[in-house]
Amino acid sequence: MIPPVLTVPGDSALVLGQPHGATALGDVEESLNARGRAVADTDWHIPALYDGLAPDATVIRAGFSRYVLDVNRDPSGVSLYPGQNTTGLCPVIDFEGEPIYREGREPDEAEIERRRQQVHAPYHAAMEAQLARVKAQNGAAVLYDCHSIRGDLPFLFEGRLPDLNIGTNGGASCAPEITAILEDWRGEAEAAGFTTVMNGRFKGGWTTRHYGRPEEGVHAVQMEIVQGTYMEETPPWTYDSDKAAKLRPLLQALLTRLKTTGAGAAAN
């Protein structure tokens, strides 16, 4: 039995969500076609990229592939980006718009509900519990949702994405003090040669939008990183330590500020 969620509690105000880094398919695998079984839309190597950058942070990591059920989508199935191409709660197409199921094996409502209970519900129960614990212990909680994606996906967006895509639901998911930290950090990242955007194509998924309640001392930020900044964007999706070595110090600096300055300002 594959655990639906792995939780590593930490002592600081920072919580790292990692919803899309797993490749396990469980009993769903037999219904997928070859394209689906390749799980190309995985947020590859996210645990390795963030390993050791914030050792006192709480980590909440999904144990199943997003192709089983996407824990960063509204459990009701409502689209996060109405009118735009995207993938849903229980994806039946990939990021290139191609089917991932064998013909006639797409999940029905009963199957989607089964997966919702077995995957989505445990992940978010863990998230709720850890955010409450962290907030009680530190006076505030800062949720940083870790994501990555291929930079060129015409089905989802035109052109190539900026390297670092920050989402705060248009500023609604975190306090102004945290927004200021993010803006300052963007300048440092661009000076180091990375391109950035705030609330561009990716404004934050359901996790960011649902848990980001700055008026209650819970702040949420999504970071969508173009995979070419730390790995190869083609199979076998190889991690590139040299590329990652240029990015990791920047990420570490941001996480440090979010758990100190950000959390401290948010708790006032």
Side-chain angles (χ1 to χ4, degrees):
M1 176 64 180
I2 303 166
V5 57
L6 170 67
T7 301
V8 182
D11 295 327
S12 76
L14 189 63
V15 176
L16 303 182
Q18 298 182 352
H20 296 149
T23 59
L25 294 166
D27 58 7
V28 172
E29 183 171 5
E30 63 180 352
S31 297
L32 297 176
N33 60 24
R35 196 175 184 98
R37 292 192 298 273
V39 293
D41 299 334
T42 301
D43 290 11
W44 300 101
H45 308 296
I46 281 292
L49 180 64
Y50 283 94
D51 184 46
L53 299 187
D56 54 357
T58 295
V59 179
I60 300 172
R61 184 179 302 151
F64 282 90
S65 168
R66 69 189 308 156
Y67 286 178
V68 176
L69 202 81
D70 192 333
V71 297
N72 198 35
R73 296 291 184 267
D74 190 322
S76 72
V78 172
S79 176
L80 296 173
Y81 296 98
Q84 295 178 279
N85 288 341
T86 187
T87 54
L89 174 68
C90 192
V92 295
I93 58 173
D94 64 14
F95 285 172
E96 296 180 37
E98 297 295 332
I100 60 173
Y101 280 86
R102 294 161 58 192
E103 188 173 354
R105 298 295 299 273
E106 298 86 353
D108 58 18
E109 284 301 316
E111 172 62 11
I112 294 171
E113 177 60 24
R114 180 184 77 91
R115 299 186 200 180
R116 188 186 288 116
Q117 294 301 322
Q118 292 187 355
V119 178
H120 199 283
Y123 182 84
H124 286 286
M127 183 68 74
E128 290 273 9
Q130 292 303 315
L131 286 172
R133 179 189 65 81
V134 165
K135 180 186 172 186
Q137 184 171 318
N138 294 276
V142 180
L143 169 60
Y144 176 100
D145 219 34
C146 310
H147 295 260
S148 73
I149 193 168
R150 282 168 281 163
D152 293 292
L153 287 168
F155 178 70
L156 297 182
F157 46 80
E158 294 183 4
R160 186 166 177 85
L161 279 180
D163 297 324
L164 304 166
N165 300 261
I166 303 168
T168 63
N169 194 24
S173 67
C174 63
E177 295 91 339
I178 293 178
T179 298
I181 291 169
L182 295 168
E183 289 289 7
D184 287 346
W185 180 83
R186 284 182 62 198
E188 295 172 18
E190 290 179 359
F194 295 95
T195 55
T196 75
V197 68
M198 180 92 79
N199 294 309
R201 172 61 178 84
F202 297 100
K203 297 176 173 63
W206 188 76
T207 301
T208 302
R209 302 182 196 197
H210 179 69
Y211 294 106
R213 305 167 192 160
E215 70 283 357
E216 299 177 15
V218 179
H219 308 265
V221 175
Q222 176 172 307
M223 178 66 77
E224 188 85 58
I225 300 176
V226 166
Q227 291 171 345
T229 61
Y230 70 93
M231 57 171 279
E232 298 303 319
E233 288 190 18
T234 55
W237 318 108
T238 303
Y239 186 75
D240 188 322
S241 298
D242 291 336
K243 287 183 177 181
K246 299 176 183 178
L247 178 60
R248 278 169 49 84
L250 280 168
L251 295 175
Q252 185 172 38
L254 177 58
L255 296 178
T256 299
R257 291 175 208 173
L258 289 177
K259 75 181 180 183
T260 54
T261 308
N268 292 332

